[in-house]
Amino acid sequence: MRARPIILVLLLLVGVVAGVSYSPWSPWLTPMQRLARATPRSPYRVMVVGIDGASFRVIDPLLKEGRLPNFARLIERGTRTPLRSENPMASPVLWTSIATGQARKDHGIEGFVVYKDPRKPKRGTLVGSEDRKTLAIWNIASAFGRRVGFLGWWASWPAEPVNGWIVSDRLTSDRWNVWAGGHKTTGRTYPDALAAELAPLLVDPMAPPMEEILRMVALTSDEQTEMRLAERPVFGHGFSVVKFAYCSQRSHEKMALHLLAKGQPDLTGIFLVANDPVSHTFWHYYEPAAYQGVDPQAAVRLGALVPHMYEHNDAFLGELLRRVDERTVVLVVSDHGFEASGQLPALKPAEKMFTGPEAEAAHLRGEIAVGQSGKHHIEGVLIAAGGPIRRGASLEAGLLDIAPTVLAIMGLPVPRDMEGRVLEEMLDPGFLAAYPVNRIDSYEPLIDRKAILEAARAAGEASDEEKQEMLRSLGYIQ
Ligand SMILES: [Zn+2]
């Protein structure tokens, strides 16, 4: 009988200890964990679909013709506005600004390559996650215990450990990987073993899906040969750069559907690259009036590739929309738009551009067209729909506003060191009343990015067993 009060006191103590350790004020928590526990969960998930170089200059006429039903559906349900880019418009810089909410001087990615080796001052390496000086939204959402999944994002190699998955931009044979020698065998995904799981979904540029490409553009048999045989992407040469980019994008599309089938992350980012090289190298056929001397018949035939690429992206967007739940806010964004450069590609001797078996093809003894007839335009696109996104809101937006807006939609505090703003004009006032935008100074002291990068490096050094498995799945060993 006398033991009872002791048991009660013990029970009470256990209760208090348990209560304290699960509360945001628990002394055993890190400041980040404390913040995570004190932050109420918004009911919404976010999917960012990045389309390199998407432009309303192409989208609007196609919308009028009813050729982009999934873009149309999102716009009808939500908001659209030009997304202001920043000069100079280099994609790795801009996509990193989208993911960090910070300008290039702060996030540290200032171009396509960095020059790190003082002994070889002219030898650049392709930018990667270690060159980024600040946190990205995948780091922040992970720290709150939200599931994240990012695929193909610029400068995301080595893949950083996250609460979910990252497929870096070095898993496929992208144009830039080939040019800058950036193809990697480790750190390409997080978790590292994911690379082996996704390997069967890689679309090989040396065995391109020509029937798919021919559905988008009616190439002559010589043009098909020129595309099929190109062993590397020649800068400004449409048939080769488009082939490499299309195969890279198709790989990423298949991987995205595979990964989404296993569960939708709370924050997803899918990057689609092929529109950029298509617009750079086929724009003179798409808008022949902006140039002197484009063959009208070639313009009709080859000019179809630009709108067909948009239709392709619209159809894939439809696939994604079918796989997200009703609590998902979808943001379609581009890093810049496109316009005519006024400069036609120049004809260059094929043997100077190609070497090896590809140059032996009879037609390649002649000339090939090399040059960028389409150039970046300062206005990209933002299309947003779902959850608290208002219908038909009017607003001005820039690249740096995407990251803080994503955090606000997920109910996560927005740091003052993000230079963009939350696009409150496109959010429902009821949502903003229920989840007022919380501010903190910075996540930098709360999240140990150095440890994340060290772990990314360590994950790259996979065990022998994992490497064997990877090689097996690539078909290199039995
Ligand atoms: Zn470009």
Side-chain angles (χ1 to χ4, degrees):
M1 290 296 275
R2 258 191 291 150
R4 250 188 217 159
I6 293 169
I7 289 169
L8 278 176
V9 166
L10 278 175
L11 279 174
L12 197 68
L13 262 174
V14 167
V16 166
V17 168
V20 167
S21 57
Y22 280 100
S23 86
W25 300 281
S26 163
W28 297 289
L29 296 177
T30 64
M32 182 63 228
Q33 288 168 327
R34 212 165 291 153
L35 177 64
R37 292 203 184 169
T39 302
R41 247 186 126 89
S42 125
Y44 300 114
R45 293 170 160 183
V46 178
M47 174 180 275
V48 182
V49 182
I51 304 178
D52 206 303
S55 175
F56 282 123
R57 285 160 174 253
V58 184
I59 292 172
D60 282 334
L62 293 175
L63 283 173
K64 270 201 193 115
E65 292 173 31
R67 289 170 65 180
L68 302 177
N70 295 297
F71 277 88
R73 203 147 53 93
L74 282 184
I75 292 169
E76 162 67 23
R77 280 168 52 207
T79 292
R80 59 165 280 174
T81 188
L83 190 66
R84 184 143 184 101
S85 187
E86 290 181 353
N87 279 311
M89 291 180 272
S91 291
V93 179
L94 307 173
W95 287 104
T96 305
S97 285
I98 290 172
T100 59
Q102 288 172 333
R104 67 193 77 204
K105 67 178 187 343
D106 297 309
H107 66 56
I109 303 282
E110 304 208 35
F112 286 94
V113 290
V114 277
Y115 300 90
K116 290 178 185 174
D117 188 346
R119 287 164 302 163
K120 296 174 190 157
K122 284 190 178 158
R123 196 185 155 80
T125 50
L126 196 53
V127 286
S129 55
E130 289 173 303
D131 304 310
R132 205 181 73 237
K133 291 192 290 204
T134 58
L135 296 160
I137 44 177
W138 51 79
N139 305 126
I140 296 169
S142 289
F144 281 93
R146 307 298 163 89
R147 301 270 309 164
V148 308
F150 274 76
L151 198 152
W153 214 264
W154 263 109
S156 59
W157 180 89
E160 295 159 81
V162 287
N163 183 31
W165 45 263
I166 284 186
V167 178
S168 80
D169 54 337
R170 308 285 181 96
L171 186 57
T172 61
S173 285
D174 179 67
R175 287 169 296 162
W176 285 94
N177 292 348
V178 180
W179 284 331
H183 207 75
K184 298 292 175 187
T185 51
T186 58
R188 297 176 302 172
T189 60
Y190 181 86
D192 205 54
L194 189 57
E197 180 183 328
L198 298 176
L201 304 175
L202 282 167
V203 178
D204 179 2
M206 292 323 293
M210 288 307 292
E211 66 298 341
E212 286 180 28
I213 293 167
L214 290 173
R215 275 201 291 276
M216 293 200 292
V217 57
L219 301 177
T220 63
S221 68
D222 273 359
E223 289 163 349
Q224 288 180 48
T225 312
E226 195 170 323
M227 178 179 272
R228 217 162 25 78
L229 294 182
E231 284 182 334
R232 66 188 180 93
V234 172
F235 188 83
H237 173 244
F239 297 118
S240 62
V241 291
V242 165
K243 175 179 83 162
F244 275 81
Y246 182 77
C247 290
S248 177
Q249 174 163 334
R250 285 297 287 133
S251 309
H252 286 153
E253 288 172 0
K254 290 174 185 208
M255 292 171 190
L257 300 185
H258 171 86
L259 290 162
L260 285 173
K262 303 207 296 188
Q264 185 190 344
D266 298 312
L267 173 60
T268 313
I270 309 284
F271 175 69
L272 304 173
V273 75
N275 179 62
D276 180 80
V278 164
S279 304
H280 273 304
T281 56
F282 282 76
W283 200 273
H284 55 301
Y285 297 120
Y286 171 67
E287 197 188 338
Y291 307 80
Q292 298 245 305
V294 179
D295 169 21
Q297 281 183 334
V300 170
R301 189 170 58 82
L302 297 172
L305 181 57
V306 171
H308 283 160
M309 194 66 229
Y310 278 77
E311 288 180 316
H312 173 97
N313 285 331
D314 179 86
F316 182 66
L317 178 63
E319 295 286 329
L320 294 175
L321 295 179
R322 271 192 281 285
R323 285 163 175 85
V324 297
D325 68 17
E326 68 292 344
R327 297 180 295 130
T328 307
V329 172
V330 176
L331 304 176
V332 177
V333 296
S334 70
D335 55 339
H336 53 72
F338 260 97
E339 65 181 328
S341 74
Q343 297 238 306
L344 286 176
L347 290 174
K348 300 244 166 107
E351 71 268 17
K352 284 203 173 158
M353 312 308 293
F354 290 110
T355 51
E358 54 194 351
E360 285 161 25
H363 76 286
L364 281 182
R365 294 198 192 111
E367 291 175 315
I368 60 170
V370 179
Q372 301 202 334
S373 60
K375 65 172 185 180
H376 296 171
H377 182 266
I378 196 77
E379 278 184 3
V381 308
L382 168 62
I383 299 169
I389 302 293
R390 291 171 58 195
R391 235 178 118 171
S394 107
L395 71 155
E396 283 184 13
L399 299 180
L400 306 184
D401 303 333
I402 300 300
T405 303
V406 166
L407 295 182
I409 293 168
M410 297 179 77
L412 306 181
V414 175
R416 291 185 186 91
D417 62 2
M418 277 189 177
E419 291 146 59
R421 68 185 185 91
V422 176
L423 298 171
E424 295 192 22
E425 305 96 303
M426 70 173 194
L427 299 177
D428 173 46
F431 170 80
L432 286 169
Y435 299 92
V437 178
N438 270 324
R439 309 268 173 192
I440 62 165
D441 282 339
S442 175
Y443 282 105
E444 300 293 337
L446 300 175
I447 301 171
D448 187 351
R449 186 158 144 73
K450 234 173 101 190
I452 292 175
L453 289 175
E454 268 158 30
R457 238 169 277 138
E461 283 138 30
S463 71
D464 281 355
E465 210 179 300
E466 283 171 316
K467 279 182 185 151
Q468 290 283 314
E469 180 51 45
M470 205 181 290
L471 294 173
R472 243 190 300 279
S473 71
L474 288 167
Y476 296 153
I477 57 167
Q478 292 297 311

